[in-house]
Amino acid sequence: MKSIKLMVLTLVLPLVLAGCGRYLPDSQGGPEKQSTQKPEETGKEIRISTESSSGEPGPFAGDDSPEAIALKLLSAMTPEEKVGQMFFVRLRKDQAAEDIEAYHPGGYILFGDDFKDETKTSIKELIDSYQSASAIPLLIGVDEEGGTVCRVSRHKAFRSEPFPSPQELYGQGGLEAVREDAGEKAAFLLELGINVNLAPVCDVSVDPNDFIYRRSFGQDAPATADYVKTMVLEMEKAHIGSTLKHFPGYGSNADTHTETATDNRDYEQFVTSDFLPFVSGIEAGAGSILVSHNIVTSMDGNYPASLSPAVHDILRNSLNFKGVIMTDDLSMEAVKGSTPDTDAAVLAVAAGNDLLISTDFETQIPAVLEALKNGTVREELIDASVKRILLWKLKLGLINQA
């Protein structure tokens, strides 16, 4: 983080720690070669130079578009700061500020235990303290799907009862009930300082015996696509980050938290069914997609989807997704059982992920930095990912465009 404190520069980009805003989608998505200008953090501001070393106007002078702002920030970052931005790490409450200083993470994910013995006020104060410690505002995420996965609302200090599941909502009042719930949930999380909900679940499941069924909408692909569109549009309206999961579609596979899952379905079934909710969410403006650890043999028989270049190529080129692609947690057994932590992180970056959900970030961040240093991972690939992350933060209003 020291590089963000080196120079007094001219273009002010206030960092609004809990604001809202809009951005223009990343229309390029490609790698960019950047200069090495350094910004200075002053209070809660970052200043970026628009002049060259000779005092002449720099290449970004006079351009306040989200694209230009992202590139200005990117050009000022060290390799350590860039790689850190690519990690969406599990919160360690007892040393969160130290982790920010040491690893420069792109964001923190909070789990159920993080809300135990807390109140709305205390959690908001904690999150504000993390944001104040970070030179670039953090993504703060939770899984608040409703039903079986409610990280926050299952604690009575935060809500009298957990948010209902998608299936319950639809049964009570159709898509209108889904829409109202999405808006209420977004306001609930944003009030706490949480700016990303890792939802909606886009998996198509109609069999109650499927592992994913209770978390899914429980209906066919077209109906699930309508549900996803409803959710994402409401989340976009509220300016909270959405995450479509679990690409390319979970199917009837086993729980990848505890074991390896192999999906032998034909590719055509994904095209005609499982992809439809993801396409609907992309068209509605979802900012991110989470990729599962399932091995999908019709796409890549060797690697889990999260580590597969072929799966990411489908997302980028067949589904035309321009936003942030993230892994499921790299500490899950479907990855850990066959791939060391350090290898998994490097493979995840090389495959095309922008964000790595990580519990073991103390080993994984240095591994990616070493891969960048020795050329295993190209700087252009890192830059392209960090640019997409910064654009998402601009979209969410975390970095003010004024």
Side-chain angles (χ1 to χ4, degrees), residues 287-401:
S288 68
I289 292 178
L290 182 148
V291 183
S292 79
H293 296 318
N294 292 343
I295 297 174
V296 185
T297 56
S298 64
M299 303 177 198
D300 189 331
N302 297 316
Y303 289 105
S306 56
L307 307 183
S308 168
V311 171
H312 290 75
D313 182 69
I314 291 167
L315 257 180
R316 290 292 184 210
N317 297 317
S318 297
L319 274 60
N320 198 34
F321 181 60
K322 303 299 185 184
V324 171
I325 300 176
M326 70 177 78
T327 68
D328 212 337
D329 194 330
L330 292 176
S331 68
M332 291 163 60
E333 284 302 317
V335 172
K336 288 178 71 72
S338 58
T339 308
D341 289 345
T342 52
D343 292 348
V346 175
L347 287 171
V349 173
N353 291 286
D354 303 308
L355 270 178
L356 281 59
I357 296 182
S358 175
T359 298
D360 303 320
F361 59 91
E362 283 182 301
T363 59
Q364 291 173 342
I365 290 176
V368 174
L369 278 167
E370 178 60 29
L372 177 60
K373 181 179 177 180
N374 66 31
T376 303
V377 171
R378 294 179 296 110
E379 183 179 5
E380 290 87 350
L381 187 65
I382 298 287
D383 285 354
S385 289
V386 176
K387 176 185 167 187
R388 282 188 283 265
I389 293 163
L390 293 172
L391 282 170
W392 195 25
K393 290 184 175 185
L394 282 158
K395 176 184 181 181
L396 297 177
L398 304 180
I399 302 171
N400 191 3
Q401 299 177 59

Side-chain angles (χ1 to χ4, degrees), residues 105 115 124 171 188 238 281 341 343:
F115 298 92
K124 181 66 166 62
F188 169 81
D341 289 345
D343 292 348

Side-chain angles (χ1 to χ4, degrees), residues 1 3-4 32-38 70-87 103-106 136 349 354-355 365 368-369 372 378-387 389-390 393:
M1 198 178 303
S3 72
I4 302 197
E32 303 282 349
K33 282 285 189 180
Q34 304 304 327
S35 69
T36 57
Q37 292 174 319
K38 311 296 181 185
L71 290 174
K72 291 168 190 174
L73 288 171
L74 180 63
S75 72
M77 296 168 72
T78 66
E80 291 78 11
E81 290 161 349
K82 290 179 184 179
V83 170
Q85 279 296 300
M86 295 182 67
F87 279 79
Y103 298 107
H104 324 289
I136 294 177
V349 173
D354 303 308
L355 270 178
I365 290 176
V368 174
L369 278 167
L372 177 60
R378 294 179 296 110
E379 183 179 5
E380 290 87 350
L381 187 65
I382 298 287
D383 285 354
S385 289
V386 176
K387 176 185 167 187
I389 293 163
L390 293 172
K393 290 184 175 185

Side-chain angles (χ1 to χ4, degrees), residues 144-146 166 169 175 177-183 185-186 197-202 217 224-238 240 242-244 280-281 284 286:
E144 192 69 21
E145 299 169 7
L169 285 169
L175 289 179
V178 169
R179 181 180 295 107
E180 291 177 0
D181 179 81
K185 194 179 297 178
N197 186 7
L198 279 79
V201 172
C202 300
F217 191 54
T224 303
D226 288 341
Y227 157 72
V228 169
K229 177 181 179 180
T230 300
M231 282 283 296
V232 172
L233 287 175
E234 197 64 27
M235 293 173 76
E236 287 294 302
K237 180 180 176 182
I240 190 167
S242 58
T243 302
L244 310 178
S280 181

